[in-house]
Amino acid sequence: MKVITSIKEMQSELSKQKSLGKEIGYVPTMGFLHEGHLTLLNKARQENEIVVLSIFVNPLQFGPTEDFSTYPRDFERDRALAEAERIDYLFYPSVEEMYPNDSSVKVVVQDRTDVLCGASRPGHFNGVATVITKFFNIMMPTRAYFGKKDAQQVAVIAGLIADFHFPIELIAVDIVREKDGLAKSSRNINLLPEERQQATILYKSLQIAKKAIDEGERNPLGLINMISEMITSESNGQIDYVEIFSYPQLKQLEKLEGTIIIALAVKFTKVRLIDNLIMHIE
Ligand code: AMP
């Protein structure tokens, strides 16, 4: 595995691979790798001759009061995990390498950002779309892998790929969970011990909502209230949002039908967790 920190070197390595006709799978991450990331890497390994992992905690996608400085980082551990996954290139640029001076162009996402994390984190998806546009231009991969844990991000990236004509196939990968159902996240380490226990209610409440839908419930508001009450009564977390929308359009629904997402975000002392469930209703 080659560790590369320079954009120029990364571009020249991959253009060599492409001139040899190799297919490239790309997995963007912010590091502190866990099984969720490894599942994306594993899928990329199966489907491509060359696999590139990037690790970059992107300052542009964090708000001024968010956890950029406390976001967990451990490069040596990540490097060993990437090595074990047989990654070909680990791209690990500095902030200065990615943003050398005040940018003259940034990507602005117009659609689907007035809800969920887009509403709670103003500018977040512009930061994501800008950095992913830069990474796509550096890598020009055959396929790019994203987790459905960040389902709104998947929808935004699908729009970015379509609108900017990137010849890249987007592969969305299912959420990987802990044994007790908590979605794996680099941020879980910043939960206090009692919060780690309480955080299982996020997934449990989604499962109970799914059961209610399977049994015929079609009223979004009733389900939203039910989930909110469960989270409030079983944890000290502050609900940021609990919402149900069509997916991937992220439009409000009067009645549940078609493909829907139940999405939630809950703030604990030092960390805000998200989770979701996507399902199809006949
Ligand atoms: P992050 O490092 O948190 O930016 O995540 C990098 C990629 O891994 C994103 O596409 C995430 O959606 C994905 N990812 C993170 N956690 C999980 C998980 N538990 N299951 C599946 N994908 C995940």
Side-chain angles (χ1 to χ4, degrees):
M1 181 181 79
K2 256 192 179 170
V3 177
I4 295 181
T5 55
S6 134
I7 292 172
K8 275 215 160 67
E9 192 185 345
M10 190 74 251
Q11 281 177 316
S12 100
E13 285 283 339
L14 291 183
S15 66
K16 260 188 263 163
Q17 298 291 0
K18 270 174 272 181
S19 69
L20 297 171
K22 304 274 167 117
E23 292 195 332
I24 294 165
Y26 170 46
V27 181
T29 78
M30 299 201 296
F32 210 71
L33 302 179
H34 53 68
E35 238 176 274
H37 300 117
L38 300 186
T39 303
L40 268 63
L41 289 167
N42 203 274
K43 201 161 163 51
R45 183 72 284 167
Q46 286 168 24
E47 297 176 351
N48 303 274
E49 291 151 295
I50 300 291
V51 178
V52 188
L53 159 68
S54 66
I55 295 183
F56 181 62
V57 185
N58 174 32
L60 222 59
Q61 70 191 62
F62 286 79
T65 60
E66 292 180 1
D67 58 348
F68 177 72
S69 62
T70 56
Y71 195 87
R73 294 163 170 91
D74 187 342
F75 181 68
E76 285 313 318
R77 178 179 163 278
D78 286 349
R79 179 211 285 258
L81 285 168
E83 196 97 57
E85 288 295 316
R86 297 175 297 115
I87 301 312
D88 299 285
Y89 297 102
L90 168 49
F91 185 48
Y92 182 55
S94 65
V95 171
E96 294 70 34
E97 180 71 6
M98 289 299 288
Y99 302 110
N101 23 55
D102 273 349
S103 317
S104 56
V105 180
K106 282 186 181 139
V107 179
V108 176
V109 184
Q110 311 262 33
D111 194 19
R112 295 185 271 233
T113 51
D114 54 340
V115 294
L116 307 178
C117 292
S120 316
R121 306 181 67 188
H124 170 70
F125 285 111
N126 293 344
V128 169
T130 300
V131 82
I132 293 296
T133 300
K134 287 161 80 77
F135 280 134
F136 280 176
N137 281 322
I138 296 166
M139 317 286 178
M140 275 302 170
T142 319
R143 301 180 185 86
Y145 295 78
F146 289 85
K148 291 187 197 166
K149 163 147 183 293
D150 301 278
Q152 189 172 16
Q153 174 169 275
V154 169
V156 165
I157 299 296
L160 177 76
I161 288 177
D163 285 2
F164 285 5
H165 316 292
F166 283 112
I168 297 170
E169 187 183 350
L170 169 62
I171 312 282
V173 179
D174 285 343
I175 301 178
V176 179
R177 299 180 177 282
E178 303 285 354
K179 281 205 176 63
D180 62 10
L182 179 66
K184 299 232 179 199
S185 166
S186 307
R187 288 184 165 103
N188 290 348
I189 196 170
N190 286 338
L191 286 166
L192 305 178
E194 68 271 23
E195 292 176 338
R196 171 63 189 81
Q197 298 294 320
Q198 295 168 4
T200 56
I201 191 61
L202 274 58
Y203 179 62
K204 270 187 219 146
S205 67
L206 290 172
Q207 288 303 105
I208 291 168
K210 180 177 184 305
K211 187 161 177 284
I213 294 171
D214 288 341
E215 287 167 359
E217 177 63 79
R218 291 292 179 268
N219 170 16
L221 263 185
L223 288 163
I224 289 171
N225 289 338
M226 184 180 86
I227 295 169
S228 305
E229 274 162 28
M230 266 187 271
I231 294 173
T232 312
S233 68
E234 301 212 16
S235 81
N236 300 328
Q238 296 292 313
I239 293 175
D240 183 359
Y241 61 73
V242 175
E243 300 276 15
I244 303 183
F245 291 122
S246 62
Y247 190 83
Q249 302 81 1
L250 302 183
K251 298 291 177 227
Q252 206 95 43
L253 291 163
E254 296 284 303
K255 180 172 174 279
L256 299 185
E257 56 190 355
T259 303
I260 63 147
I261 182 166
I262 311 175
L264 50 85
V266 179
K267 285 183 182 161
F268 290 91
T269 309
K270 290 191 285 183
V271 57
R272 174 179 170 281
L273 299 184
I274 58 172
D275 202 347
N276 71 75
L277 188 143
I278 296 172
M279 65 186 288
H280 189 75
I281 302 170
E282 293 303 329

